[in-house]
């Protein structure tokens, strides 16, 4: 590429000299060394935004949020913000927090408020966790039963490190439930299928099972104390100003648009509603696929 006729060759050395000169002129460092690499400082990121380059939002999300919560929100956001680029990373809680702390993500989505002083979190949506079993589970028709009736069942748990798993373990311990056995299954999709086929019961975000509950593929198990009331949190680093593009996304998460879309994909009574149809004239949230999204 550098040999193409007319190409301007920018060597690493000349580029880094230019950055050093600019940093000196501005009186603030624009880059800093991290191990053997280099990254933008807060001032560097601000300079990038101010330079008018297309904004880029980097979001890191825990698995359930990345699978079920982010896609419809992003689709709507990117239809409003066609000049923005978004990159999504999905991982377990430890990965997600590390990405944020290492400045590899501007914002993160997680299921629990953060611990420690470096990260702040703000709840932006409810995240009820529901107990579910196979469609003909005998407790599916009971209104409010003692969770200990689920002793002896096989409980399907997500992998260690999952927030859903931790909440389930706490529910089991707090209620004196004695599972017949525990089966570790490292994916929400695999867990849903296994429960549907009668392999056991599970606790899972309602966001992940709204469609299956509405379609009767899974039964809601209304044990006392459930659904567990939790929230989805948007997390950010306390010590770094958010780039303008990330601020736009944060504002979108806080807006009523996010809350109203969410009612459609999560609430079992509404998720079979045909958005965009005569009876529900609201536009479907999944219309079209934005080009400015990288996973
Ligand atoms: P998980 O996270 O998908 O990793 O379980 C969700 C949560 O923390 O609620």
């Amino acid at each position: 590429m550098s040999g193409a006729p007319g190409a301007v060759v920018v060597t690493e050395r000349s580029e880094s000299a230019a950055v050093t000169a600019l940093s000196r002129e501005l009186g603030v460092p624009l880059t800093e060394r991290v191990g053997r690499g280099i990254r933008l400082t807060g001032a560097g990121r601000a300079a990038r935004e101010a330079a008018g380059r297309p904004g880029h939002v980097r979001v890191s999300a825990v698995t359930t949020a990345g699978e079920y919560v982010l896609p419809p929100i992003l689709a709507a956001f990117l239809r409003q913000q066609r000049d923005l680029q978004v990159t999504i990373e999905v991982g377990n809680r430890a990965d997600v927090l590390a990405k944020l702390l290492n400045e590899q993500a501007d914002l993160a989505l997680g299921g629990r408020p953060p611990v420690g002083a470096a990260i702040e979190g703000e709840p932006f949506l409810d995240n009820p966790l529901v107990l579910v079993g196979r469609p003909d589970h005998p407790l599916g028709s009971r209104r409010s039963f003692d969770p200990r009736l689920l002793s002896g069942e096989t409980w399907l748990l997500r992998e260690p490190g999952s927030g859903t798993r931790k909440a389930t373990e706490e529910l089991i311990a707090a209620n004196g439930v004695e599972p017949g056995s525990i089966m570790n299954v490292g994916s929400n999709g695999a867990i849903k299928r296994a429960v549907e086929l009668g392999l056991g019961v599970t606790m899972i975000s309602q966001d992940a099972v709204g469609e299956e509950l509405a379609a009767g593929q899974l039964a809601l198990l209304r044990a006392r104390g459930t659904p567990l009331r939790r929230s989805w949190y948007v997390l950010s680093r306390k010590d770094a100003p958010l780039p303008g593009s990330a601020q736009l996304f944060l504002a979108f998460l806080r807006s009523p648009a996010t809350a109203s879309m969410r009612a459609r994909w999560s609430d079992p009574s509404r998720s079979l509603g045909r958005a965009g149809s005569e009876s529900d004239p609201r536009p479907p949230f999944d219309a079209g696929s934005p080009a400015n999204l990288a996973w």
Side-chain angles (χ1 to χ4, degrees):
M1 287 289 272
S2 58
V8 177
V9 180
V10 181
T11 63
E12 264 183 50
R13 187 177 301 183
S14 66
E15 206 169 355
S16 106
V19 170
T20 307
L22 186 57
S23 296
R24 199 172 299 131
E25 197 171 318
L26 293 171
V28 281
L30 298 176
T31 56
E32 62 191 354
R33 291 213 162 272
V34 190
R36 300 176 65 188
I38 197 162
R39 70 180 173 197
L40 289 175
T41 60
R45 286 195 302 275
R48 181 184 59 190
E49 292 279 320
R53 299 252 304 274
H56 183 202
V57 191
R58 300 165 308 160
V59 183
S60 181
V62 294
T63 309
T64 309
E67 289 174 344
Y68 300 100
V69 179
L70 254 186
I73 294 176
L74 272 178
F77 174 68
L78 291 175
R79 275 194 292 275
Q80 271 187 15
Q81 302 288 344
R82 293 191 181 269
D83 291 337
L84 287 190
Q85 297 291 322
V86 177
T87 306
I88 310 296
E89 300 258 8
V90 179
N92 67 30
R93 181 177 170 81
D95 290 340
V96 165
L97 296 181
K99 287 243 153 48
L100 198 54
L101 287 171
N102 296 337
E103 297 185 47
Q104 292 168 289
D106 304 309
L107 292 170
L109 301 188
R112 266 183 307 147
V115 278
I119 292 178
E120 60 193 348
E122 175 182 327
F124 69 98
L125 278 181
D126 289 343
N127 174 26
L129 299 187
V130 293
L131 279 170
V132 293
R134 66 177 197 269
D136 61 347
H137 195 287
L139 293 171
S141 53
R142 294 272 294 272
R143 279 288 130 186
S144 174
F145 60 86
D146 187 329
R148 277 176 298 184
L149 291 181
L150 292 168
S151 291
E153 295 267 5
T154 296
W155 283 69
L156 304 181
L157 295 190
R158 284 272 309 282
E159 75 286 356
S162 144
T164 312
R165 177 190 179 103
K166 186 150 197 315
T168 310
E169 288 172 337
E170 287 164 7
L171 176 100
I172 288 173
N175 289 282
V177 177
E178 291 177 14
S181 61
I182 298 281
M183 193 187 291
N184 290 309
V185 184
S187 120
N188 284 318
I191 285 187
K192 289 196 291 185
R193 203 62 190 121
V195 172
E196 187 184 336
L197 295 172
L199 288 180
V201 297
T202 200
M203 188 160 73
I204 190 165
S205 169
Q206 185 176 302
D207 284 321
V209 289
E211 282 185 16
E212 287 80 1
L213 289 172
Q217 289 164 262
L218 293 172
L220 185 63
L221 303 178
R222 299 175 179 84
R224 269 198 298 282
T226 68
L228 282 194
R229 296 170 62 88
R230 307 217 322 171
S231 295
W232 288 118
Y233 288 81
V234 55
L235 314 173
S236 56
R237 288 178 52 221
K238 277 189 192 159
D239 66 347
L242 269 187
S245 43
Q247 282 179 27
L248 287 175
F249 186 54
L250 180 59
F252 192 80
L253 289 177
R254 289 170 172 159
S255 73
T258 293
S260 71
M261 263 189 308
R262 192 268 189 168
R264 241 177 274 160
W265 80 74
S266 170
D267 180 343
S269 64
R270 297 177 74 179
S271 49
L272 279 190
R274 297 281 173 261
S277 70
E278 231 172 275
S279 59
D280 185 354
R282 296 165 304 175
F285 59 69
D286 55 351
S289 143
N292 43 346
L293 173 61
W295 288 82

